[in-house]
Amino acid sequence: VQLQASGGGLVQAGGSLRLSCAASGSIFGIYTMAWSRQAPGKQRELVAAITSGGSTNYADSVKGRFTISRDNAKNTVYLQMNSLKPEDTAVYYCNADIRTSWRDRRDDYWGQGTLVTVSS
């Protein structure tokens, strides 16, 4: 199983970006999918998560600005980021709780990260 994240880049404060993360490989089921981020010199933090049923939760710092969504047919999770601030600058990682067959337990898989830089 692989998770491929994309969509990062350089944007001015107040701008928008949309991140995507597609899961591929031997997949029986995908459960919770999420985005985390790690800024330079800081610990990784959870940004947003979405369950297989569509329930979402967000870090307080991004509520009202970021929206997480998923397309189950494409095994893809998205993060729409609006009103970006310089403090949103970080490497953004996606992860997903995946079962690879009916016999296997669920495991957590991570993407490679995509850099988001917000200039002031």
Side-chain angles (χ1 to χ4, degrees):
V1 174
Q2 288 188 328
L3 270 65
Q4 182 69 44
S6 62
L10 174 64
V11 64
Q12 288 189 331
S16 298
L17 281 175
R18 188 192 195 208
L19 306 183
S20 300
C21 177
S24 61
S26 178
I27 297 172
F28 178 77
I30 303 180
Y31 305 91
T32 298
M33 305 182 83
W35 290 94
S36 300
R37 67 186 179 186
Q38 187 165 19
K42 295 188 177 182
Q43 289 188 331
R44 189 175 299 189
E45 63 170 350
L46 178 67
V47 174
I50 183 167
T51 68
S52 55
S55 297
T56 59
N57 68 280
Y58 298 90
D60 288 342
S61 59
V62 306
K63 281 181 181 177
R65 300 188 298 122
F66 291 9
T67 302
I68 190 170
S69 61
R70 62 192 286 171
D71 184 332
N72 292 328
K74 296 181 179 179
N75 292 338
T76 299
V77 61
Y78 305 97
L79 186 68
Q80 178 66 44
M81 305 185 294
N82 298 328
S83 302
L84 282 161
K85 304 175 181 181
E87 51 264 43
D88 294 318
T89 295
V91 177
Y92 284 71
Y93 298 90
C94 60
N95 72 289
D97 188 17
I98 296 174
R99 176 176 286 176
T100 55
S101 78
W102 66 270
R103 294 175 296 180
D104 293 329
R105 66 178 187 182
R106 291 154 58 165
D107 283 317
D108 197 24
Y109 293 85
W110 286 82
Q112 84 285 7
T114 184
L115 177 63
V116 172
T117 303
V118 184
S119 63
S120 58

